Amino acid sequence: MARRVFEETVLPHLDAAFNYARWLTRNDADAEDVVQDACVRALRFFPSLKEGDARPWLFAIVRNTWYSRLSRRAAAVEATMADDSRRGPADRALDPEAELLRSHAVAAVRAALDALPADFREVMVLREIEGLSYKEIGAVVGVPIGTVMSRLNRGRERLLALLREAPKEALP
Amino acid sequence: VNCDDVESSLDLYVDRELEAAAAAEVRAHLGECPACRGRVAERETLGRLVRLAPYYSAPDRLRARVLAGGARTR
């Protein structure tokens, strides 16, 4: 019974959990492992979910899962991620010609987001892509709202600076 | 409300986190200040660009593994 309620409450947010994990980890394999482990934890902690949105609650578990893995293998992972962030835009070379302009913009933004420090990247993803409020982001990340605000501000400023460096014709 | 006030609440305004009265003051300032309008537009454009970035949906095999409820197999 609890299992069924869990599935009905948590599984609708699996895509969002994976998207957040993918932006945190910057690779598919880690994102899958993190989300699966997070779901196992979420089932265990399910009684702790009070009334309200399961999505930020699940994000917080995804985040904790990722950072506890990361702290176990910090040095090796950091090296891998630095490689990944340099690879971003090249994957898009096969996009159809009509999509060229748009795909250039997408590639530029993706590369710029990937290049942001993790603290800034995650608040950008939670705010701009997932539409969370500052309060919800603060709960997911475990920081005061003032910190959410300053990270968003600095993340945006950095992203704008990175995008300004990208070729002008790449932006719509 | 002057440009400095607006600049310091730019993110709050764009993210609709300002109280209604404060948001109305910012809007009134934007009506008469092209520079601040430009700063707001820049942030709104940035938001649109970020939303163009790929949304990574959960792969089917992950969904299946979660539904199966087992521990990781990899």
Side-chain angles (χ1 to χ4, degrees):
Chain A
M1 190 52 150
R3 172 91 206 174
R4 192 173 59 81
V5 178
F6 169 79
E7 284 173 6
E8 285 167 359
T9 312
V10 172
L11 285 190
H13 305 299
L14 198 64
D15 281 338
F18 184 77
N19 182 59
Y20 177 45
R22 180 60 180 70
W23 281 107
L24 277 179
T25 63
R26 295 189 284 193
N27 75 81
D28 288 334
D30 277 333
E32 282 187 43
D33 287 351
V34 163
V35 171
Q36 179 157 16
D37 285 354
C39 285
V40 171
R41 287 195 197 192
L43 180 59
R44 199 184 324 142
F45 300 143
F46 192 49
S48 77
L49 172 62
K50 300 174 191 80
E51 307 269 312
D53 196 352
R55 197 167 50 123
W57 175 80
L58 184 60
F59 285 155
I61 298 175
V62 164
R63 186 178 193 280
N64 289 337
T65 305
W66 168 238
Y67 279 104
S68 53
R69 290 168 73 93
L70 198 56
S71 66
R72 286 201 297 269
R73 48 171 219 205
V77 168
E78 279 303 328
T80 313
M81 296 200 320
D83 281 349
D84 277 357
S85 69
R86 281 196 293 272
R87 268 204 307 267
D91 322 335
R92 307 229 150 223
L94 297 177
D95 282 339
E97 213 174 308
E99 286 284 309
L100 204 59
L101 198 68
R102 188 184 143 94
S103 72
H104 270 250
V106 172
V109 172
R110 178 186 163 162
L113 259 184
D114 269 344
L116 280 184
D119 285 350
F120 300 159
R121 190 169 65 245
E122 69 174 337
V123 294
M124 289 299 297
V125 169
L126 292 173
R127 174 60 223 161
E128 299 287 15
I129 301 177
E130 297 297 341
L132 263 54
S133 69
Y134 289 6
K135 193 176 162 203
E136 288 171 324
I137 296 171
V140 170
V141 178
V143 297
I145 286 179
T147 306
V148 173
M149 281 171 56
S150 70
R151 286 183 187 176
L152 259 179
N153 180 263
R154 290 163 68 193
R156 280 175 171 146
E157 293 298 340
R158 285 203 191 202
L159 215 47
L160 285 167
L162 287 169
L163 289 171
R164 283 186 202 112
E165 289 168 12
K168 273 275 179 289
E169 66 272 20
L171 301 178
Chain B
V1 172
N2 60 34
C3 295
D4 287 343
D5 299 327
V6 169
E7 186 139 23
S8 66
S9 54
L10 216 48
D11 292 288
L12 289 160
Y13 177 74
V14 171
D15 292 326
R16 292 171 173 68
E17 294 268 349
L18 281 180
E19 302 282 334
E25 284 182 355
V26 171
R27 249 190 317 275
H29 176 82
L30 292 179
E32 54 203 35
C33 178
C36 286
R37 271 206 302 281
R39 282 189 272 274
V40 167
E42 191 177 51
R43 271 171 155 64
E44 286 174 343
T45 302
L46 177 67
R48 277 196 292 279
L49 283 172
V50 169
R51 285 186 289 279
L52 280 179
Y55 194 90
Y56 299 104
S57 296
D60 289 342
R61 63 173 173 275
L62 172 62
R63 198 173 295 275
R65 287 198 321 226
V66 169
L67 270 171
R72 256 184 311 124
T73 49
R74 218 137 38 78

